[in-house]
Amino acid sequence: MEYRRLGSTGLKVSALSYGAWVTFGRQVGRSAARELIACAYDNGINFFDNAETYNAGDAERLMGDVIADLRLPRDAYCVSSKVYFGASEHPRPTQRGLSRKHVFDACHQALDRLRVDYLDMYFCHRPDPDTPVEETVLAMDTLVRQGKVMYWGTSEWPAEAIEEAHRIARERHLVAPSMEQPQYNLLHRDRVEREYAPLYQRYGMGTTIWSPLASGLLTGKYNDGVPDDSRLGHPDYAWLREALLENDGARLKSVRALAPIATDLGMPMSRLALAWCLKNPNVSTVILGASKLAQLEENLKALDAVPSLDGEAMRRIAEALG
Ligand code: NDP
């Protein structure tokens, strides 16, 4: 495993990490979750990603249960939570958003569900138009000073809102955000590569990137239809299926165009797609979302594939993506 600094912080995170979004508490039960976390940890993964909203808190409950059962040493792994969407299907007004109240309540609930005394990373899962950024920065600063959160960050915030948070933190001597959690993959690049470009140097922001395989699209498994036992085949994720397969299948066309490059490099599409994310030095960690052990074992091979993506391979990839 390779370890990278989380931006300019001193925290070293594994270049591949593991997240629980659709999987824990829905596709994956307790014994499979235990196998997946054990495999990840045994292979050097030290960051496990979660959020209050994932399966209405069940993903955090299951992860906390399994990590406690495996007796992973608390100082050897990092765990995150995210606040914004709430932890129930129909949250009341004070049970969602980034108000001081909900940021505090959600933190304490996540600590409880994950069975830990502190969160290594705590993300504002989206910007909240109803809460002044200053209120959220102050709440996060307090949680850090209380020792309940080590590093706080944002997820899918516009660059100017992140800059505003940094300005407020600098002026008021508060703890500034250390990392952002954006989507980044071969089919979704703009924000990480263009919009956030000034943030890495100027503020030392790290990135913990999500959906590196575009929910599995980049494995090629959806090229000939939607398998029943897949994420996009799940009835609760019809919205995701529509979002990813819209535009007359333009995304699938790109995936098909990339396939021969993977074949020539002697690797599956999934490995090529993950190695491509790892090649970006502004990516601190690539969060894997495998729902099966064999997928996770395969995805762990991506680090060894990075050197195969030389200039010629990168040129062919750029050409295939148009
Ligand atoms: P991916 O893009 O890697 O998608 C994961 C899905 O791809 C799996 O569930 C599986 O689908 C399929 N897959 C993975 N590996 C393979 C393989 N080798 N062969 C075939 N299929 C494979 O990641 P996620 O979208 O899950 O995102 C990763 C993590 O990022 C999440 O768990 C979460 O922690 C975080 N996240 C954060 C968000 C945010 O807003 N901050 C939003 C979304 C995710 P299947 O189950 O169909 O087999």
Side-chain angles (χ1 to χ4, degrees):
M1 182 54 68
E2 174 192 330
Y3 296 89
R4 298 184 179 182
R5 281 175 69 191
L6 181 68
S8 60
T9 75
L11 188 71
K12 297 227 170 66
V13 285
S14 47
L16 294 171
S17 44
Y18 184 62
W21 174 33
V22 176
T23 51
F24 276 36
R26 190 183 298 259
Q27 282 175 295
V28 169
R30 192 179 186 284
S31 73
R34 193 179 190 282
E35 264 188 345
L36 285 158
I37 296 268
C39 169
Y41 183 77
D42 289 346
N43 282 281
I45 284 182
N46 74 354
F47 167 41
F48 299 102
D49 185 64
N50 225 315
E52 59 168 353
T53 189
Y54 293 167
N55 298 316
D58 280 349
E60 290 188 340
R61 270 182 215 102
L62 182 53
M63 186 178 273
D65 181 22
V66 163
I67 288 178
D69 187 33
L70 288 168
R71 295 187 165 74
L72 303 190
R74 183 65 188 94
D75 54 355
Y77 72 89
C78 301
V79 72
S80 72
S81 184
K82 305 186 203 86
V83 53
Y84 175 75
F85 291 104
S88 68
E89 230 172 274
H90 304 289
R92 286 167 179 262
T94 56
Q95 292 179 315
R96 68 189 305 278
L98 298 179
S99 68
R100 185 176 176 82
K101 175 172 172 61
H102 186 57
V103 167
F104 269 60
D105 287 338
C107 177
H108 292 121
Q109 288 158 8
L111 293 174
D112 194 41
R113 287 190 293 259
L114 288 163
R115 304 197 202 174
V116 289
D117 297 327
Y118 65 91
L119 298 171
D120 298 275
M121 293 178 225
Y122 192 33
F123 294 88
C124 299
H125 211 157
R126 290 295 180 269
D128 179 1
D130 295 333
T131 304
V133 172
E134 185 164 9
E135 179 173 335
T136 305
V137 177
L138 266 161
M140 286 293 184
D141 175 84
T142 305
L143 287 171
V144 171
R145 287 174 204 267
Q146 288 178 344
K148 291 173 186 158
V149 168
M150 293 292 125
Y151 302 92
W152 79 274
T154 55
S155 180
E156 299 291 353
W157 278 31
E160 35 317 352
I162 298 173
E163 299 218 43
E164 189 186 350
H166 275 275
R167 181 184 53 73
I168 291 165
R170 192 174 55 247
E171 285 172 7
R172 302 201 47 183
H173 304 287
L174 304 172
V175 179
S178 299
M179 67 286 172
E180 159 60 33
Q181 186 167 124
Q183 180 177 180
Y184 186 54
N185 57 55
L186 277 158
L187 306 173
H188 190 101
R189 308 168 54 171
D190 206 54
R191 184 158 248 180
V192 165
E193 293 181 9
R194 283 182 218 270
E195 185 183 335
Y196 289 165
L199 304 181
Y200 308 123
Q201 286 292 324
R202 199 175 294 161
Y203 304 109
M205 295 283 290
T207 59
T208 64
I209 63 128
W210 61 269
S211 280
L213 295 174
S215 276
L217 213 66
L218 281 162
T219 65
K221 71 201 286 178
Y222 296 110
N223 285 0
D224 303 311
V226 177
D228 285 343
D229 67 341
S230 65
R231 177 180 293 184
L232 299 193
H234 198 289
D236 294 348
Y237 286 85
W239 61 271
L240 187 62
R241 182 170 64 242
E242 277 157 31
L244 285 174
L245 302 179
E246 67 184 5
N247 292 341
D248 299 329
R251 288 188 187 83
L252 283 182
K253 263 185 226 151
S254 298
V255 175
R256 290 194 189 101
L258 290 163
I261 308 173
T263 306
D264 290 350
L265 293 172
M267 60 178 80
M269 265 296 297
S270 55
R271 207 182 301 169
L272 172 96
L274 295 171
W276 180 88
C277 294
L278 286 164
K279 217 174 145 67
N280 184 333
N282 292 317
V283 168
S284 316
T285 183
V286 172
I287 312 177
L288 303 172
S291 65
K292 290 146 196 115
L293 195 59
Q295 292 175 352
L296 181 59
E297 285 167 347
E298 164 51 42
N299 296 349
L300 283 160
K301 296 178 187 159
L303 266 169
D304 292 337
V306 177
S308 303
L309 298 190
D310 57 11
E312 173 59 7
M314 293 299 272
R315 190 197 58 72
R316 288 185 67 194
I317 290 170
E319 201 177 274
L321 294 172

